[in-house]
Amino acid sequence: MPAAPLRALRNPGDRAWSALLMVLGGALLAVAGIIVLALWDVARPLGGVVSLKQFVTGQEWDPTSDAFGALAFVYGTVVTSLVAVVVAVPVSVGLGIFLVEMAPARVRPVVSFLIETLAAIPSVVYGLWGLFVLVPWLRTSVEPLLGRALGFLPLFQGPPIGLGYLAAGLILAVMILPTIASITIEVLRTVPSTLREGAYGLGATRWEAIRMAVLPYARSGIVGGALLGLGRALGETMAVTMVIGNSPTIQTSLFAPGYTLPSVIANEFAEATGEVHTAALAGLGLVLFGLTVILNALARLLVQAVGRGPAMGRP
Amino acid sequence: MSSALVRRRAVDRLMTALAAVAVAVALVPLASVLWLVVSRGAAGLSWAFFTHLPTPVGEPGGGIGNALVGTLYLVGLACLIGLPVGIGAGVYLAERGDSPIGRGIRFTADVLSGVPSIVVGVVAYGLIVVPMKRFSAIAGAVALAILMVPTLARSTEELVRLVPGALREASLALGVPEWKTSLRVVLRTALGGIVTAVLIAVARAAGETAPLLFTALNNQYWNLKPDQPTASLTVQIFNYAISPYEDWHAKAWTAALVLLLLVGSLNLLARFLSRSRLRSQR
């Protein structure tokens, strides 16, 4: 793209066009500023009631007595998102490898289309499916089985309820899979084929070429994709709200019901009991905003770094 | 054949099989969701379901007419606000995006596209609901518009950048001023692609629930006033699904089918348009 031609700026039309472009670009920065200011404004009344430390580390959430501790929500958000990433990353990477490295070229657009479809299904539809299909299945089949096989771990103890961290984590896994898979595919495609050819030339099998030549090159991009997926999982609201069980407690077992930051905002905001309650919920939103901004910034930097290729691998 | 080679080939086959299994695992939920929404939702479809107001529990009949109109209304309002800002920012990024400020704005757009929709709901609450002291369609539309802007900006930028540089250069070489070149040559060429991007943004907005819960809220009746609470398909599905009533659950599935048909047809239309555009360029 050419830099703005300086001489052309003498033309009044071009000067107006340049000014208009600045305004249009600035509007996006304004949107970012508005988001931060509006969140801060709604959350401000909380400042006089609860200290930051109480808010972040407190375990009790009781709006009627002005107790606003967010730890159970932070815990639920982190646990469900981690379950989602642990389940979704191997599946997405396997899918990416299959599509880019193994499958015939005809298969690629078909599977890509299906993955796009998976991404296009609205969150509330996943929630409906989770509530009436996934949760009963977990309660009657999966959780009893996990309890018998891995019950010695505290993660898999307790009564199989269905609604809880595990259900939320699995549904999140389905929802973030398209994000991670599409970035994995994108990143694998940028791997120079000379790397593969070099590995084959040394007598590697296809898997050895993938493991020793392709994956090391793509690693930081895949990590970036996983972080983007994690960011989506942290903020995902509706599907989680419908299957998490809505219990503001901290429990070790994945079978137990919990609560997440977005879910409590979704459930309580419209019926908040007063200005401070609303402010506390907006405060949760601010925490969530901060978490996702940091994760996304990190993830974008990682994915961009792969696009440029590792410094030492370049000719 | 040496045993090492046999083992290496076995590992190779095993990993190929595992990768294929990953594809299958990824597609099972898709098949399950689509099948169940269709099989459980289809029974409730009728003309009345699209045109009638919802009925109280236990009363037969009733539909989601107001919610369907509400979704279209909210998305329409959101487009009025969000499209100019999103597309405009995209044009800025394509035309001036290589400056340090441009890179900063691009990075901001990327980061904003990851902000959770529920947080944007709180933003719209602070911006519109608090000063108006009332839940309203315009508040919901503002939330949806804010959600549209970052992704629309990035896809518009990519589409404008796809326009071959030779077109721009040819126009400039003929002495056409830059602004006219950008508007009448570059943007006009990119227009078809931008329409596709808009359709995808509209489909995503129509499927949003979280930012509407405490902005547009809900409404049992028809509403086309921007300052009144408004029903939407997604919030209606949520309310039906978490209710304890069997016949409301059935309505949730049917409404979900309607929503999927709406979102799916928008996406298919976008796909069809972009494909026919590619073919005509070839």
Side-chain angles (χ1 to χ4, degrees):
Chain A
M1 192 66 35
L6 285 174
R7 266 182 305 116
L9 288 178
R10 285 196 216 116
N11 177 328
D14 279 352
R15 227 178 297 149
W17 175 240
S18 272
L20 178 66
L21 282 178
M22 279 312 292
V23 171
L24 293 173
L28 202 136
L29 289 181
V31 169
I34 286 170
I35 290 179
V36 177
L37 288 180
L39 272 180
W40 185 256
D41 195 46
V42 183
R44 208 168 33 189
L46 184 66
V49 183
V50 191
S51 74
L52 183 66
K53 184 164 174 286
Q54 282 171 316
F55 186 61
V56 179
T57 61
Q59 292 199 28
E60 198 194 352
W61 181 269
D62 184 6
T64 49
S65 60
D66 276 359
F68 297 108
L71 195 62
F73 310 128
V74 175
Y75 176 81
T77 306
V78 170
V79 168
T80 51
S81 304
L82 285 182
V83 170
V85 169
V86 166
V87 174
V89 165
V91 177
S92 315
V93 173
L95 184 140
I97 289 176
F98 185 81
L99 276 193
V100 178
E101 307 287 333
M102 299 170 173
R106 282 177 295 122
V107 178
R108 224 176 277 165
V110 178
V111 178
S112 294
F113 172 71
L114 293 174
I115 297 296
E116 277 170 35
T117 312
L118 202 58
I121 294 175
S123 173
V124 70
V125 176
Y126 278 117
L128 185 70
W129 176 79
L131 187 56
F132 294 112
V133 181
L134 182 68
V135 165
W137 183 59
L138 287 179
R139 183 170 52 228
T140 55
S141 312
V142 178
E143 291 184 354
L145 194 75
L146 277 175
R148 274 199 299 278
L150 299 165
F152 57 90
L153 292 171
L155 285 180
F156 302 107
Q157 287 168 358
I161 304 170
L163 293 172
Y165 298 114
L166 186 62
L170 288 181
I171 215 159
L172 284 174
V174 176
M175 298 183 71
I176 66 175
L177 194 139
T179 309
I180 308 179
S182 59
I183 289 183
T184 304
I185 291 170
E186 203 178 297
V187 166
L188 287 178
R189 277 191 178 164
T190 64
V191 176
S193 49
T194 47
L195 285 181
R196 291 182 194 101
E197 287 155 14
Y200 287 136
L202 292 171
T205 63
R206 182 162 64 188
W207 168 246
E208 285 162 351
I210 294 169
R211 183 169 62 85
M212 296 174 188
V214 175
L215 286 182
Y217 188 96
R219 190 185 298 132
S220 63
I222 295 175
V223 171
L227 287 183
L228 276 185
L230 182 63
R232 269 207 69 186
L234 291 177
E236 184 45 56
T237 310
M238 297 321 293
V240 174
T241 306
M242 292 160 88
V243 301
I244 185 79
N246 299 341
S247 152
T249 50
I250 294 180
Q251 314 227 29
T252 330
S253 173
L254 292 181
F255 299 169
Y259 226 147
T260 67
L261 291 167
S263 313
V264 71
I265 303 175
N267 278 329
E268 295 188 0
F269 204 99
E271 281 131 27
T273 49
E275 203 189 23
V276 180
H277 189 188
T278 306
L281 293 168
L284 298 180
L286 212 50
V287 172
L288 195 56
F289 177 77
L291 279 177
T292 48
V293 164
I294 293 169
L295 265 179
N296 272 288
L298 208 63
R300 297 286 170 188
L301 292 176
L302 277 172
V303 175
Q304 277 171 18
V306 177
R308 286 194 294 269
M312 56 173 216
R314 262 181 295 182
Chain B
M1 225 185 318
S2 73
S3 69
L5 190 58
V6 171
R7 192 183 52 78
R8 286 169 57 207
R9 287 206 172 146
V11 170
D12 184 55
R13 277 198 210 107
L14 177 71
M15 296 316 286
T16 308
L18 281 180
V21 167
V23 178
V25 168
L27 297 181
V28 164
L30 176 68
S32 175
V33 170
L34 293 182
W35 166 244
L36 282 156
V37 169
V38 172
S39 64
R40 293 193 183 183
L45 280 183
S46 66
W47 182 242
F49 192 75
F50 288 95
T51 54
H52 284 202
L53 287 174
T55 47
V57 184
E59 214 170 283
I64 48 150
N66 62 334
L68 188 58
V69 171
T71 287
L72 299 178
Y73 182 57
L74 286 169
V75 172
L77 278 180
C79 283
L80 287 182
I81 309 164
L83 296 191
V85 181
I87 295 175
V91 173
Y92 167 84
L93 286 175
E95 298 272 326
R96 298 281 188 271
D98 293 322
S99 61
I101 301 175
R103 275 194 292 273
I105 293 181
R106 182 175 305 112
F107 192 71
T108 309
D110 279 342
V111 171
L112 282 189
S113 66
V115 172
S117 59
I118 186 97
V119 171
V120 174
V122 179
V123 170
Y125 176 89
L127 282 180
I128 312 284
V129 178
V130 171
M132 278 178 60
K133 298 192 173 64
R134 162 195 303 157
F135 298 107
S136 62
I138 190 70
V142 165
L144 295 182
I146 294 177
L147 283 168
M148 278 180 178
V149 165
T151 27
L152 201 53
R154 292 293 272 122
S155 42
T156 302
E157 179 196 358
E158 264 165 48
L159 291 158
V160 175
R161 278 176 188 261
L162 278 181
V163 176
L167 275 181
R168 179 190 297 270
E169 285 156 17
S171 169
L172 290 173
L174 287 171
V176 180
E178 197 210 355
W179 65 274
K180 224 172 193 176
T181 302
S182 294
L183 282 177
R184 310 271 302 259
V185 177
V186 179
L187 285 183
R188 180 170 289 180
T189 314
L191 190 65
I194 294 176
V195 170
T196 307
V198 168
L199 283 176
I200 291 173
V202 165
R204 283 187 56 180
E208 285 289 353
T209 318
L212 301 177
L213 288 171
F214 38 83
T215 51
L217 204 71
N218 201 352
N219 194 330
Q220 294 305 305
Y221 303 99
W222 304 97
N223 172 52
L224 285 178
K225 292 201 192 95
D227 62 341
Q228 294 296 323
T230 303
S232 58
L233 263 181
T234 47
V235 173
Q236 193 74 324
I237 293 171
F238 177 60
N239 288 337
Y240 278 153
I242 60 169
S243 77
Y245 313 113
E246 210 47 59
D247 64 328
W248 277 14
H249 294 167
K251 282 185 178 155
W253 285 104
T254 308
L257 177 59
V258 174
L259 179 66
L260 274 192
L261 289 175
L262 178 70
V263 171
S265 50
L266 282 167
N267 274 305
L268 282 180
L269 185 63
R271 229 184 143 69
F272 172 75
L273 282 180
S274 73
R275 189 172 296 170
S276 57
R277 189 169 48 86
L278 286 180
R279 201 173 302 139
S280 69
Q281 276 177 6
R282 216 171 275 157

